[in-house]
Amino acid sequence: MRSFFRGRDLSRVHSIAELAELARHRLPHFAWEYLSGGAEDELTLARNRASFSEVHLHSRTLVPCHPPVTQRRLLGRELAVPMLIGPTGYNGMLHRDADLHLARAATARGLPFCLSTVSNVSMEAIKAQVPDVNLWFQLYAMRDPEIQASLLSRAQQAGVDTLLLTSDAMVLGNREWDRRNFVRPRELSLGNKLDVLRHPRWLRQVMWPNGLPSMGNLEPFLPPAERNALGSMKFIGEQMDTLLDWSMLARLRDQWSGRLLLKGVLHPADAEKAMALGLDGLVVSNHGGRQLEGALGSLDALRLIAPVVRGKMALLLDSGIRRGSDIAKALALGADAVLLGRATLYGVAVAAEQGAGRALDLLHEEFVRTLNLMGCADIADLSPDWLADVHAHSIYRG
Ligand code: FNR
């Protein structure tokens, strides 16, 4: 794909795919693979996109074109468009202050920003520097209950009212590129070191002056000498709880007084269990195809889960959103809102806050145009009746 992007003229970037292509050129190879790659043969990564492309919008005609209603009330807050920036760890590999840039871009558009446990910028710093942020926090459960309790109380102090527990990463997915690119933790292979030297802008943007950043939320738990990238990676490797189960989620429900969502749900039976525990919502997600290879595409899973959940708790989806029409399809199949992962990360890698903002604006504009072309005046009207699967000659209903 040819891009006519010059300098910071982001108005010349017309799609998330184009932002991705620019990010690919700007990042060293290992960072690009970290951002874009999936597990093993990337079948699930590909399925996420395929599951969207197989669903067709069944538009109505001769519906006058007015700005469609895209506002939605989600978990007590009004959103101009039902999307938010989802949690992604170690964004500092793309841009030193990527977490802050993402938080600013989301906040400027009235959208929530979800910070990962393994972010580089701490939740306190996000709150201090972006005071108006609608901050969500994603929790990786910790083995040490005191560490987990401390993370939760800090999140509450930082104004977080919505917590996402990620349940699909108890062991790391098989990301072969990661093992290829590093000879040992944080030590790049020779080929990758040479490749890094070919990316002076990235070196300036990420590595200068202090090298790869540590994980801000975890720093208070680290001895001063280990408050660095390697120390925090070692810490999270030791602390992430691999014995997570439903009883832990029940305890978390008691422990956390704010809203609690489970992220990484693909099975309707799990959706039922989460409802029985009194959770406030689910994120249907396969972690962007980075975890279980062979997992269902996110939209495939939504189709199974929505009939169980719809109207009883908030139903969110991520994994594969790259176009405004994807948002329309997810909403038609029962999602209340979508989370963005790589879409906004491509933007931040290209041009910090402006790049992330461009990704959000592109998706918003595409979403509005899609609704107009569908003849859908209000997202509240979206339902499976707006979709058709031309291959199966079936219409989705209910
Ligand atoms: C992630 N994701 C993720 N999820 C999470 O709960 N905690 C985390 O720290 C991370 N880290 C992370 C890093 C990177 C580089 C990526 C791409 C993804 C998963 C993320 O929240 C989301 O589920 C996916 O990104 C959605 O897929 P798409 O839209 O990026 O394809």
Side-chain angles (χ1 to χ4, degrees):
M1 179 187 315
R2 281 196 64 191
S3 164
F4 299 97
F5 180 72
R6 294 280 178 275
R8 289 188 170 260
D9 184 8
L10 286 163
S11 64
R12 308 282 297 165
V13 178
H14 300 296
S15 67
I16 300 299
E18 210 172 324
L19 274 177
E21 187 59 14
L22 289 165
R24 188 169 74 80
H25 282 101
R26 291 199 166 202
L27 296 171
H29 179 73
F30 84 97
W32 167 249
E33 285 203 316
Y34 172 72
L35 166 57
S36 62
E40 295 185 0
D41 300 316
E42 303 189 332
L43 297 175
T44 296
L45 181 67
R47 179 64 205 162
N48 284 337
R49 292 301 300 137
S51 63
F52 281 99
S53 66
E54 284 172 14
V55 170
H56 299 268
L57 297 167
H58 210 176
S59 55
R60 304 302 305 270
T61 199
L62 292 177
V63 179
C65 184
H66 297 294
V69 177
T70 59
Q71 288 84 353
R72 168 148 294 169
R73 205 167 170 74
L74 180 74
L75 297 165
R77 307 250 194 158
E78 201 69 41
L79 308 185
V81 55
M83 63 185 185
L84 59 127
I85 298 186
T88 51
Y90 222 82
N91 296 333
M93 200 191 288
L94 310 176
H95 201 289
R96 201 172 25 253
D97 292 323
D99 299 310
L100 275 172
H101 294 306
L102 289 164
R104 288 193 180 113
T107 305
R109 290 156 184 83
L111 302 175
F113 166 68
C114 186
L115 189 72
S116 164
T117 296
V118 292
S119 63
N120 296 110
V121 179
S122 71
M123 50 187 132
E124 290 85 0
I126 297 275
K127 185 67 189 169
Q129 299 203 39
V130 194
D132 295 334
V133 66
N134 178 354
L135 185 62
W136 295 19
F137 184 63
Q138 173 267 325
L139 180 70
Y140 279 134
M142 298 282 137
R143 274 182 220 268
D144 182 336
E146 282 181 25
I147 289 179
Q148 182 161 307
S150 156
L151 278 172
L152 293 181
S153 94
R154 284 168 54 201
Q156 207 160 20
Q157 289 282 314
V160 169
D161 61 12
T162 304
L163 184 74
L164 259 62
L165 176 76
T166 296
S167 61
D168 60 7
M170 283 194 267
V171 291
L172 200 63
N174 187 15
R175 305 170 189 173
E176 289 158 14
W177 32 268
D178 229 8
R179 280 184 276 137
R180 237 185 348 258
N181 291 333
F182 291 84
V183 286
R184 61 185 70 86
R186 251 197 98 208
E187 167 102 37
L188 284 172
S189 68
L190 181 62
N192 276 290
K193 282 182 186 159
L194 295 174
D195 178 60
V196 160
L197 295 176
R198 285 195 288 270
H199 291 82
R201 182 180 4 208
W202 178 86
L203 280 167
R204 233 181 17 253
Q205 184 168 298
V206 171
M207 298 293 279
W208 195 85
N210 297 321
L212 283 176
S214 71
M215 297 174 184
N217 293 321
L218 308 182
E219 278 191 5
F221 309 119
L222 300 173
E226 290 180 24
R227 289 180 185 162
N228 51 41
L230 191 57
S232 38
M233 281 173 198
K234 197 167 137 253
F235 177 86
I236 194 69
E238 291 163 0
Q239 269 301 325
M240 252 170 74
D241 194 349
T242 55
L243 300 175
L244 263 192
D245 61 12
W246 290 95
S247 67
M248 179 274 162
L249 184 58
R251 286 196 301 282
L252 185 62
R253 175 67 293 186
D254 292 341
Q255 229 180 335
W256 175 256
S257 56
R259 295 197 164 88
L260 178 60
L261 276 63
L262 183 61
K263 174 175 182 281
V265 179
L266 295 172
H267 200 292
D270 287 339
E272 305 244 28
K273 283 187 175 179
M275 266 190 300
L277 285 182
L279 260 59
D280 299 283
L282 296 179
V283 184
V284 174
S285 168
N286 57 34
H287 214 108
R290 296 162 80 82
Q291 286 296 106
L292 173 65
E293 172 66 329
L296 284 183
S298 55
L299 207 67
D300 304 320
L302 179 68
R303 222 181 281 181
L304 303 175
I305 291 174
V308 174
V309 166
R310 199 160 193 189
K312 299 187 192 128
M313 67 199 306
L315 185 56
L316 281 66
L317 167 137
D318 74 22
S319 300
I321 300 288
R322 301 289 184 274
R323 287 282 184 189
S325 56
D326 299 335
I327 306 175
K329 291 172 184 178
L331 264 53
L333 280 172
D336 295 309
V338 300
L339 279 69
L340 306 172
R342 293 182 183 88
T344 31
L345 289 182
Y346 295 142
V348 93
V350 171
E353 178 186 344
Q354 286 166 284
R358 181 69 181 149
L360 293 170
D361 293 343
L362 280 169
L363 289 169
H364 190 167
E365 287 162 20
E366 287 174 4
F367 183 51
V368 167
R369 188 181 300 109
T370 297
L371 293 168
N372 270 323
L373 290 171
M374 286 170 74
C376 176
D378 188 332
I379 59 169
D381 298 337
L382 285 172
S383 75
D385 291 345
W386 288 91
L387 304 177
D389 179 343
V390 290
H391 299 298
H393 299 287
S394 73
I395 307 288
Y396 302 120
R397 300 225 175 263

